[in-house]
Amino acid sequence: MSHRPLQLASEIRRVVSEVFNEHIEFPPGLLVTVVGTDISSDLKKATIRLSILPEHKQGTGLEAAKKRSGFIQRNVARNLPMKSIPRIELALADQTWLDAQNLPNP
């Protein structure tokens, strides 16, 4: 993967984390954390991976985050100096995805 998608993924993750921390209130008892960003090779789609605790409330947390996806998209567009901003999708970071992120580079 070239440097640009990695850099863009990092910037999107930073902006979305800030939006979650500063502007979005989740239902009481939920901890929602941005743990990663996957970006398509054509830079048109960014999947934001979320960790939601407690696990039995993951559905509620993901639904609450998705309800605010338009607000998240607008903030990403406002904070990134690009003509075309990737479409933001939100998804749970399952254990397989988390394990894959921690693999050593060959």
Side-chain angles (χ1 to χ4, degrees):
M1 184 179 270
S2 74
H3 180 69
R4 184 159 189 247
L6 293 174
Q7 186 177 18
L8 181 57
S10 176
E11 282 299 303
I12 290 173
R13 179 180 175 183
R14 180 189 59 78
V15 171
V16 173
S17 292
E18 287 176 7
V19 170
F20 277 16
N21 290 332
E22 297 172 11
H23 302 289
I24 296 179
E25 285 190 37
F26 289 96
L30 280 180
L31 175 62
V32 179
T33 307
V34 176
V35 295
T37 305
D38 298 325
I39 195 145
S40 63
S41 59
D42 62 3
L43 308 180
K44 291 187 179 193
K45 182 176 108 177
T47 303
I48 310 300
R49 299 291 176 172
L50 305 175
S51 172
I52 301 174
L53 296 175
E55 287 185 16
H56 70 277
K57 291 189 176 183
Q58 286 182 339
T60 302
L62 185 60
E63 182 180 316
K66 284 183 175 183
K67 283 182 181 178
R68 293 158 179 90
S69 62
F71 178 76
I72 294 165
Q73 183 76 47
R74 284 188 301 278
N75 273 275
V76 169
R78 195 174 300 132
N79 287 287
L80 293 180
M82 295 179 62
K83 258 187 179 180
S84 179
I85 300 296
R87 183 172 41 91
I88 303 294
E89 293 184 358
L90 302 169
L92 289 174
D94 61 9
Q95 192 59 46
T96 305
W97 186 88
L98 291 169
D99 291 344
Q101 300 309 303
N102 293 321
L103 290 175
N105 289 333

